Amino acid sequence: MTELVTTGLVDLDLAPTERRAAVRALAERLRAEGRVTDLERFLADVEAREQQMPTGLPGGIGIPHCRSAAVTAPTLAIGRSAEGVDFGSDDGPARLIFLIAAPEGGDTDHMAVLAALSRRLMRSEFTGTLLAADDPAHAADYVRSEVAP
């Protein structure tokens, strides 16, 4: 079974401050790890989902996500932005971005990851640990231990 999140899927210094550029930067990590076969198709699927309803949550969180034929395995990429990225939350830009990618037929995987992540995001300890992380490997291990189904 493929790990949900790996060190290569964590960017603790996500530079882009525009939503599409930030999602692209994280999606490029998915492609580099072999989790996405067609970057442009995946980005179009993420954007289509974002157009249905913004994925910003209170507390500086963005959770762009989609099911896509371009995804090879359920995957979570994590970005931390010093400047923040606008994902449409009323309380301002997201400092933590979680890009959830699920294979097209992976409804249960997608929903399980989204549900587990949503529960953890309610705990300030979870977000605080990620905001303070200084090592991508530690951040990946932490999220995997907290969120993996």
Side-chain angles (χ1 to χ4, degrees):
M1 182 172 168
T2 305
E3 292 285 358
L4 178 67
V5 60
T6 63
T7 302
L9 295 170
V10 177
D11 185 347
L12 297 178
D13 298 305
L14 186 64
T17 57
E18 191 275 324
R19 178 180 56 80
R20 285 183 185 93
V23 169
R24 177 176 286 276
L26 291 173
E28 287 172 351
R29 288 176 173 268
L30 296 176
R31 182 179 56 187
E33 294 276 320
R35 308 297 182 94
V36 167
T37 57
D38 181 337
L39 182 64
E40 296 309 318
R41 180 174 184 171
F42 175 70
L43 289 170
D45 291 340
V46 171
E47 185 60 26
R49 170 58 191 87
E50 195 73 26
Q51 292 305 313
Q52 292 174 7
M53 178 190 302
T55 56
L57 299 176
I61 307 296
I63 309 182
H65 59 280
C66 74
R67 288 181 301 272
S68 174
V71 175
T72 62
T75 303
L76 177 63
I78 303 163
R80 183 178 65 197
S81 170
E83 298 294 319
V85 178
D86 184 5
F87 278 89
S89 179
D90 291 339
D91 74 340
R95 294 203 46 230
L96 290 173
I97 297 100
F98 301 90
L99 176 59
I100 302 172
E104 196 165 50
D107 291 341
T108 57
D109 293 333
H110 176 249
M111 294 311 293
V113 171
L114 191 55
L117 182 59
S118 296
R119 285 191 300 274
R120 296 319 181 276
L121 290 172
M122 302 301 280
R123 294 182 13 230
S124 59
E125 174 192 340
F126 181 78
T127 56
T129 296
L130 293 175
L131 287 170
D134 59 3
D135 176 29
H138 178 265
D141 288 344
Y142 178 71
V143 170
R144 208 170 30 252
S145 71
E146 292 284 323
V147 176

